Amino acid sequence: MATSTDNIEQLANQDYKYGFVTDVDAEAVPPGLNEGIIRIISAKKGEPEWLLEWRLKAFRFWQTMTAPQWHNVHFPPVDFQDIIYYSAPKQKPKLESLDDLDPEIKATFDKLGVPIEEQKVMAGVAVDAVFDSVSVATTFKDKLAELGIVFCSFSEAVRDHPELVRKYLGSVVPASDNFYAALNSAVFSDGSFAYIPKGVKCPMELSTYFRINAAQTGQFERTLLVADEGATVSYLEGCTAPMRDENQLHAAVVELVALDDATIKYSTVQNWYPGDKNGKGGIYNFVTKRGKASTNAKITWTQVETGSAITWKYPSCILQGDNSVGEFYSVAVTNNYQQADTGTKMLHLGKNTRSTIISKGISAGKGQNTYRGLVRIGKNAKGARNFSQCDSLLIGDKCGAHTFPYLEVRNTSSQVEHEASTSKIGEDQIFYCRQRGLSTEDAVNMIVNGFCKEVFRELPMEFAVEAQKLLGVSLEGSVG
Amino acid sequence: MLEVTNLHASVAGRGILRGIDLSVKAGEVHAIMGPNGSGKSTLAAVLAGREEYEVTAGSVTYDGRDLLEMEPEERAREGVFLAFQYPVEIPGVNNAYLLKAALNEVRKHRGEPELDAMDFMALVKERMQVLHIDQDLLKRPVNEGFSGGEKKRNEIFQMAVLEPQLAIMDETDSGLDIDALRTVSAGVNAMRSPERATLVVTHYQRLLNYIVPDVVHVLSNGRIVKSGGKDLALELEEKGYGWIEGVAEQVGA
């Protein structure tokens, strides 16, 4: 009799389906990092002097720093002189329309299911597609512009809206914030920029799709999102990469600025190549994400992290204004040899600020999953409240779940609650579902999706469905 | 419908079933009684296909097919239903979701169209009324935070929706108060039909006042040591399992 273990193992051997490589002519700088490289990057992008100076300052700062060691992930030291810091597909300097885009690149995004031709897109989603280090296409720009919304690549924003970029760049994540943020500040190549003017409710989802293609290349994108007073925006990012034996570095910075009464919802479905079954290859995903909320503003981070060999990220909220709200909803999956150290920081500065943290960690195979979170309530944050819930689900007996909650409360009128649980998908649960007619795969999917429900319902509808499917794929082969 | 021949099974190398012979025809209700440790629940588990139990000898045919060759989900889709002695909790998955997935697997298997949410709800609401089950149950996570009685009722409710051909009740009466016992029995009785068969595994005669069996088997030490009509259960109740162990020794000798 074939056992479920056999079936599951077959499924486990299924390949990461985004692992293909696109053959395009790329223009790259030599590996290594020095001031010369930074000048080249800046010059290629035709940047103003102030931005070059900003980069150089960050670089000099970075040189004085060492990579963090406090995280609960293990990997050999990264050789930062062996990385290519800029790679761009060769194309016409300025695209007049999508027809000018390299058909290979267009085909890549088609294959990934990312719509960059407007007539084919999902209704109500504008997409910015980033291929290696540069943004190659942004859809629905004109339609958004009618409302005064700016949605474009970071490079275009530097060119067309320098006053906005200069005002907000580094205002939430300073160049000196941490080792990887400093590195990103020095070498970032592109990314997305969005500005929603006062009182405007963005009528469609804004979305950026990141694709690493070139070998030996690091991807360092920078995203800056500004919601002016009373504005509302929902933003989604997705990411994939080819399968390669070497590890590739992805060190991004995302800054969110929510001015008075603004609302930003930022959702991530991260599916970078996780490495093979034996832990070879995969992306090192070392990302700094932070938002600053002014009076009555609200920032919601929702992340579904299924990819990367190593994930190191803590999307955070600085709740500066009174009554501001921060939320963090996370599902992080580690299978095979994947490691994740992820969580959030909620920094309560204003009065009556509120934060909610819901973290769901799923570990399978030999995966190690760490939740690390800080809730800091300052002495002026009277009446602040936090609720945290960290649940871990273990599949099999070779994986691990770890929780490091840090609480710092500096006044007496605040309320902080923390709940945590660890559970295991039992053979009993699976058998129960099978006895009702479900296959083992469907049973595991159902149990895992039930576990993640509170997070999935925070995702925009069409992406919630995607996330559920992705979770199923990531966990294939994990039971047996 | 079900032919069990000389069935031997062990768990973790320890022999539990030592030669079960059992023949159940469509339309019949058989009760399997016996003291703790006699192998009642093992028999139920082997029929449902639990992988921890190893069949070491014997055969089981179901509708002329080799049941032991089938995966648990295939057995379920072919109409074998086990009402669990200890129904499992699945946090975050609501009852309606599991049941709809299960029902549609069964329907797909039979070549019937899958039910959409509307038709499904219509069906379950009707079944809930018959069993006097609160609709609130549908939205709750599978068995999570249920009382013992609620869990058993939920098993019967699932059975009523899935309409199995062969229902195996594994000590469904244990831990039930008299009202719950009545509900559960009414559910089982409502399912009785010439096309279906039921195997009621129980420790106590009490349940058989409500679900009247056609045949009663007494299990001891992994073997059926006595079979008879419904009066056998009463005799057993009166004389106790010690009486049967005496019978078993004679059989063994």
Side-chain angles (χ1 to χ4, degrees), chain A residues 9 28 75 461:
Chain A
E9 264 166 21
F75 56 96
M461 188 59 176

Side-chain angles (χ1 to χ4, degrees), chain A residues 173 223-224 237 252-256 266 287-291 301:
Chain A
V173 180
T223 300
L224 177 56
E237 59 171 7
V253 171
V254 176
E255 295 180 276
L256 308 184
Y266 195 102
V287 172
T288 306
K289 293 183 165 177
R290 195 175 302 150
W301 295 102

Side-chain angles (χ1 to χ4, degrees), chain B residues 180-196:
Chain B
L181 191 65
R182 283 204 180 109
T183 312
V184 163
S185 308
V188 175
N189 288 331
M191 295 280 298
R192 288 179 90 149
S193 83
E195 296 83 40
R196 298 200 180 108

